[in-house]
Amino acid sequence: MPTDTSQKVAIVTGGSRGIGRAVVERLARKGVDVTFTFVANEGAAQEVTTDLCANGFIVRALRVDARDAAACKTMVESVIAEHGRIDLLINNAAVIADKLLAMMAQQDWDKVVNTSLNGLFGTTQPTARQMMRQRAGRIVNLTSVSGIVGVAGQTNYSAAKAGIIGFTRSLAKELAPLGICVNAVAPGFVDTEMLAGFSPEQRKAALASVPTHRFARADEIANLVGYLALEAPAYLTGQTLVIDGGLTA
């Protein structure tokens, strides 16, 4: 893809906080026109847009529930209708509802799996169709090391994140002949709100399991996502890049 990103159009799902926000900020500061979604925290979404737009970057926020594939599809189609193209799609929206399977409620399963996979389908199908017409584009899906190694208490999250990896591999093969790259990023522990529920003992145990003895920063994950979206060789596709401080080495 060209290195000039001034005319590129991107969608980032779940962009108001954590990794998603860091991705929005990185792409916007590279001159990309960014639309991001949020579902609940309007204040956080407004903060992102206000901060970036005040500095001359082009960013807008749309309230879209990632569990609603039809709403995600409509959102993508609206962006395409406005801009006539879409160059980058970052599928990041996710939630956690950790419990041992024996104690997991159906709603805990549905919320986690549907957020990760319904939104993935809803955003990616219309995006892929547009990119096929363009014969260009890049898709980056956020998964997790939980989808690779499995984590007790996260059968729902691990299943959803493993599904994203399989989706990435299959779609990459479908779109590669048209010059479209599809990759995934699998973070380990990242110091965002998702770790806020950890007790001091859990944080200590988690840190001890990471060879670097620290959690990742959201901007470190965003840097890798930005590389795949804007700079990586076009020959790199269908891969899941793990960034976990050596946790799964």
Side-chain angles (χ1 to χ4, degrees):
M1 297 175 71
T3 55
D4 177 12
T5 61
S6 60
Q7 300 301 311
K8 284 186 168 49
V9 174
I11 293 174
V12 179
T13 67
S16 63
R17 297 176 292 177
I19 293 172
R21 176 172 182 164
V23 171
V24 169
E25 292 173 345
R26 176 170 174 79
L27 294 180
R29 294 181 187 283
K30 286 288 187 177
V32 178
D33 183 315
V34 182
T35 296
F36 72 89
T37 68
F38 70 99
V39 67
N41 197 330
E42 185 173 2
Q46 185 61 50
E47 182 181 322
V48 176
T49 56
T50 299
D51 289 351
L52 289 169
C53 291
N55 287 286
F57 303 112
I58 305 173
V59 178
R60 66 188 61 78
L62 297 175
R63 188 191 297 272
V64 181
D65 189 336
R67 294 171 293 182
D68 187 340
C72 292
K73 179 180 178 182
T74 298
M75 177 272 298
V76 172
E77 290 173 342
S78 72
V79 173
I80 294 170
E82 179 180 354
H83 296 280
R85 65 183 299 107
I86 179 167
D87 303 288
L88 312 171
L89 172 63
I90 316 299
N91 284 304
N92 169 72
V95 295
I96 57 172
D98 293 354
K99 283 186 178 68
L100 295 175
L101 183 65
M103 296 181 286
M104 185 178 294
Q106 181 73 45
Q107 65 186 26
D108 293 325
W109 175 270
D110 291 344
K111 178 171 65 174
V112 172
V113 173
N114 291 346
T115 298
S116 288
L117 298 183
N118 287 5
L120 183 68
F121 174 77
T123 58
T124 308
Q125 186 184 59
T127 298
R129 288 171 175 165
Q130 177 61 33
M131 289 180 174
M132 289 168 73
R133 288 190 286 269
Q134 298 168 187
R135 301 184 74 86
R138 295 195 173 189
I139 298 170
V140 183
N141 301 318
L142 270 293
T143 179
S144 168
V145 295
S146 294
I148 298 173
V149 299
V151 177
Q154 286 195 330
T155 52
N156 49 5
Y157 190 72
S158 293
K161 292 303 185 178
I164 291 172
I165 293 172
F167 180 96
T168 298
R169 289 172 174 165
S170 294
L171 186 62
K173 289 191 174 182
E174 292 180 12
L175 299 182
L178 297 171
I180 301 160
C181 299
V182 186
N183 290 292
V185 171
F189 293 110
V190 185
D191 202 3
T192 66
E193 291 183 13
M194 280 198 172
L195 292 187
F198 276 33
S199 67
E201 293 76 17
Q202 288 173 316
R203 288 183 69 91
K204 182 177 180 181
L207 282 171
S209 70
V210 181
T212 56
H213 299 303
R214 69 175 179 86
F215 297 140
R217 302 186 310 273
D219 68 283
E220 292 178 294
I221 312 304
N223 287 344
L224 180 55
V225 172
Y227 169 74
L228 289 173
L230 298 171
E231 303 167 18
Y235 206 61
L236 177 59
T237 193
Q239 303 305 305
T240 297
L241 277 62
V242 176
I243 175 168
D244 66 358
L247 177 65
T248 59

